[in-house]
Amino acid sequence: MTEASLEVLKTSLQDSYPIIERQSVAQFHIKGGAPQPNPEQRFRGFMLKSHDRLSIVQFRIDGFTYNRLRPYPSWEDILPEAIRLWRIYVATVVPEAIARAAVRYINRLDLPASGAGLGAYLAAPPRIPEGYQASMGGFLTRVTLSASHGLRAIVTTASEPSFGTPGTTIILDIDVFSDAAELTPDDARLEPILERLRDLKNRLFFESLTEDAVRVFE
């Protein structure tokens, strides 16, 4: 796959994704305790954004990603566009195989203040060791899970500074994926796999929260 093949993609989608950013990777060499000037750079791909900058597609030498920023449309709107762009990518650059298929949601949860602490909202809240007199300034937890059908997930939960406003802000990052090396790029099983990944993401989201937390967003 070459930069020229990805150039074709950015040109063909210019009407719907007119904002184009070139992506490069820099490699630094450390010598004598300091990085050398003029690092080596190599082309990685293009990031294309829609007119409103809310829909983003990345065509890279090593893969394809479709992102959507808030306000979020439904999954039924997101999936067809992702598949459409994926098929354009496949038809243009002809990748050999799918090494990994993934669905990732990064949720920012602004929760009201509660005397019960994080236990009022998180099914598995972080805890200060018993007998230790201190307040929790922040936390970060990361759990890797294996599910059925060869699916896996990484669930990261972290606090975020609220800058003096009442309540608690939590980041719930759910990355579900399948090492799908047995799939060809045009395999009809790709969409059903993405649907299963989305279902697993939904289960993990609701199982990570208490009923009180879920009611906040109803």
Side-chain angles (χ1 to χ4, degrees), residues 44-72:
R44 187 172 186 238
F46 291 107
M47 178 184 292
L48 280 58
K49 299 180 181 181
S50 59
H51 293 272
D52 58 8
R53 298 178 180 267
L54 299 179
S55 295
I56 303 167
V57 58
Q58 298 180 50
F59 295 120
R60 303 186 308 275
I61 293 291
D62 59 351
F64 162 92
T65 304
Y66 177 69
N67 306 100
R68 173 68 195 196
L69 306 180
R70 66 169 66 183
Y72 307 116

Side-chain angles (χ1 to χ4, degrees), residues 15-102:
D15 288 344
S16 52
Y17 291 87
I19 302 167
I20 301 169
E21 297 177 8
R22 190 178 189 275
Q23 296 179 314
S24 299
V25 177
Q27 184 175 9
F28 292 85
H29 297 279
I30 305 296
K31 186 175 181 180
Q36 296 298 295
N38 304 317
E40 297 177 16
Q41 294 193 27
R42 59 184 177 84
F43 173 74
R44 187 172 186 238
F46 291 107
M47 178 184 292
L48 280 58
K49 299 180 181 181
S50 59
H51 293 272
D52 58 8
R53 298 178 180 267
L54 299 179
S55 295
I56 303 167
V57 58
Q58 298 180 50
F59 295 120
R60 303 186 308 275
I61 293 291
D62 59 351
F64 162 92
T65 304
Y66 177 69
N67 306 100
R68 173 68 195 196
L69 306 180
R70 66 169 66 183
Y72 307 116
S74 68
W75 172 259
E76 288 72 23
D77 293 323
I78 291 175
L79 182 60
E81 179 66 356
I83 292 296
R84 180 183 78 87
L85 294 167
W86 165 251
R87 287 174 177 160
I88 294 172
Y89 176 79
V90 169
T92 304
V93 304
V94 194
E96 294 181 2
I98 298 175
R100 183 179 187 268

Side-chain angles (χ1 to χ4, degrees), residues 97-115:
I98 298 175
R100 183 179 187 268
V103 171
R104 183 179 182 185
Y105 279 64
I106 302 175
N107 306 276
R108 186 178 189 273
L109 310 177
D110 295 313
L111 301 166
S114 171

